[in-house]
Amino acid sequence: MKIAQVCPRYYPDIGGVETDVKEISERLVSKSHNVEVITTDPSGKLKKEDIINGVKVTRFKSFAPGNAYYFAPQIYAYLKNHNYDVIHAHSYHALPALFAALGERKKKFVFSPYYHRGGHTPFRNLLHKPYKFIGKMIFSRADTVICISEYEKRLVDSDFDVGQKTVKIPNGINLSEFENPGHQKSDSNQKILLYVGRLEEYKGVQYIIQSLPELQDFRLRIVGKGPYEKDLHNVAERLEVAERIEWLKDISRKELLECYASADVFLMLSSHEAYGITVAEALASGTPCVVAMGSALEEFVDGIQCFGVDEPIKEERIINLINQLKDIKSTGKFITKNLTVFDWDYVIEEIENVYF
């Protein structure tokens, strides 16, 4: 099959959607499908055309104020002039999905919204109301809507009344990567807290930093980059904990797996998540997690290896949970009654079934 994957950003950019599309695309190529990723590059610094692990990548310059929307109408014209068996658009919260939806209707159109209803900032949240008219158009044109959690599926069905064409296919992880972790947790007196993800205010990294003054036995390792990084450095300096924070970005996959395996507690305090791939990977590494309630992250909470913090987030609750978890022993594989961590091989089979 000839398949177009349309998304706002792609590797080497990192993030949940970027990782998802990369895994799907490369695994489809390994199954002899012809896959092209059509995406944007607001910086204009990346190659306009590239081949990455067998996947053709085509990038268009976009207008993306505040790293949002990724306005690139050239995508519409490009899709109209090329033939695909399937167009799979990703992310409700950016405009490339709209340009994909407006393309030739003879092609099968699949939509993965990663929908979490609200915006990441007050301004984006305000724009969500008029934007919903665009969203309805995208959903109405989709032949199938793929949701990655029960939480997301409930929101989509409630807000867009498309329950008859929604299916749940969770994100996958490479379970084989976690069978023999190459790094062990430190035996030193100082333990490690870990955050992995984009540095945006809604991700809640500031709450971890604000808890550090009362967590003298811990260091914080932050893996990621984003527009909120300078503000986070300022918080760390103001609280005089900057020397206990390690900032990492653009690290290899091997280094990331070592970070998961060596951490004592993983935290993801985001207010908007349709799934939570980094939480799944941390749990697969045997690292206990603390997550914010109120989004799909709460589907990981089992009260054994993953614990939830209610919003509004309070540092006292974070501190108590971290102290409670610091000596927890790994239970190995992670399964809850609500959500299982699936391998990518299973996920790709389910996606192929949708395409066919």
Side-chain angles (χ1 to χ4, degrees):
M1 296 180 72
K2 189 173 183 181
I3 303 164
Q5 302 283 343
V6 181
C7 54
R9 304 184 313 161
Y10 190 69
Y11 182 85
D13 289 320
I14 60 170
V17 177
E18 293 86 343
T19 298
D20 197 12
V21 178
K22 185 173 186 291
E23 290 284 353
I24 291 171
S25 299
E26 292 181 4
R27 288 170 185 276
L28 288 171
V29 165
S30 73
K31 300 187 78 170
S32 300
H33 295 293
N34 184 342
V35 180
E36 179 178 4
V37 171
I38 299 162
T39 187
T40 85
D41 172 27
S43 71
K45 297 178 180 178
L46 299 174
K47 292 182 179 179
K48 293 182 179 179
E49 294 185 357
D50 203 354
I51 303 289
I52 302 176
N53 295 332
V55 178
K56 180 181 178 180
V57 181
T58 302
R59 299 184 180 92
F60 293 96
K61 189 75 165 59
S62 67
F63 177 62
N67 292 306
Y69 307 114
Y70 299 92
F71 183 73
Q74 314 95 300
I75 290 175
Y76 167 75
Y78 186 84
L79 290 171
K80 289 283 286 185
N81 292 323
H82 291 77
N83 293 317
Y84 304 94
D85 298 302
V86 177
I87 296 176
H88 187 169
H90 300 259
S91 187
Y92 169 91
H93 305 274
L95 289 168
L98 172 64
F99 304 132
L102 294 174
E104 176 57 55
R105 294 302 299 138
K106 291 180 181 179
K107 307 174 179 90
K108 186 167 188 178
F109 179 51
V110 179
F111 183 36
S112 291
Y114 309 88
Y115 180 69
H116 42 68
R117 186 174 281 165
H120 296 162
T121 67
F123 178 66
R124 292 190 209 176
N125 205 40
L126 184 65
L127 290 178
H128 251 257
K129 292 182 179 179
Y131 187 81
K132 194 172 181 179
F133 292 103
I134 292 175
K136 285 182 178 179
M137 183 185 301
I138 301 171
F139 278 107
S140 69
R141 288 175 172 253
D143 297 294
T144 305
V145 177
I146 298 177
C147 296
I148 54 179
S149 64
E150 285 296 337
Y151 170 83
E152 183 192 13
K153 190 173 185 299
R154 287 195 303 270
L155 289 185
V156 166
D157 291 350
S158 172
D159 291 357
F160 299 97
D161 192 25
V162 289
Q164 73 281 3
K165 56 184 176 182
T166 58
V167 297
K168 189 188 86 169
I169 304 177
N171 282 340
I173 65 172
N174 302 319
L175 289 175
S176 61
E177 291 182 312
F178 303 94
E179 290 175 354
N180 299 298
H183 226 71
Q184 298 299 320
K185 293 175 179 25
S186 173
D187 293 327
S188 67
N189 292 330
Q190 200 157 53
K191 296 181 178 293
I192 297 174
L193 304 176
L194 176 65
Y195 168 84
V196 177
R198 277 186 59 76
L199 303 183
E200 305 242 20
E201 185 174 7
Y202 79 94
K203 291 285 190 179
V205 188
Q206 64 272 24
Y207 302 123
I208 311 173
I209 296 174
Q210 290 164 3
S211 302
L212 275 182
E214 301 299 322
L215 294 166
Q216 293 298 320
D217 294 339
F218 288 89
R219 293 182 60 82
L220 172 59
R221 183 171 290 154
I222 296 174
V223 181
K225 57 186 178 181
Y228 199 52
E229 182 174 350
K230 183 177 179 181
D231 298 85
L232 293 173
H233 278 281
N234 291 338
V235 173
E237 293 288 347
R238 177 171 54 82
L239 295 175
E240 299 181 348
V241 294
E243 293 184 357
R244 292 165 52 207
I245 301 176
E246 182 180 4
W247 305 82
L248 301 175
K249 61 185 71 173
D250 299 324
I251 64 176
S252 68
R253 180 65 181 173
K254 180 175 181 293
E255 290 170 321
L256 177 59
L257 292 174
E258 289 175 352
C259 286
Y260 283 130
S262 61
D264 293 280
V265 180
F266 179 88
L267 297 103
M268 175 57 71
L269 303 176
S270 174
S271 56
H272 300 289
E273 295 296 328
Y275 182 70
I277 190 68
T278 58
V279 179
E281 292 186 334
L283 289 167
S285 300
T287 299
C289 296
V290 175
V291 302
M293 302 293 282
S295 75
L297 295 178
E298 64 185 46
E299 294 181 27
F300 290 102
V301 174
D302 67 343
I304 300 172
Q305 275 197 279
C306 188
F307 293 78
V309 178
D310 290 324
E311 290 195 343
I313 304 240
K314 302 290 185 183
E315 284 82 16
E316 295 83 359
R317 176 62 173 157
I318 299 172
I319 293 164
N320 289 339
L321 279 176
I322 290 173
N323 284 325
Q324 179 182 336
L325 290 172
K326 63 182 180 182
D327 295 317
I328 196 173
K329 301 298 182 183
S330 169
T331 61
K333 293 182 179 179
F334 176 77
I335 298 176
T336 76
K337 63 181 180 181
N338 295 322
L339 181 145
T340 305
V341 175
F342 287 101
D343 188 81
W344 272 112
D345 289 340
Y346 166 83
V347 172
I348 292 301
E349 286 183 10
E350 294 295 300
I351 290 175
E352 279 187 306
N353 289 338
V354 169
Y355 289 173
F356 288 117

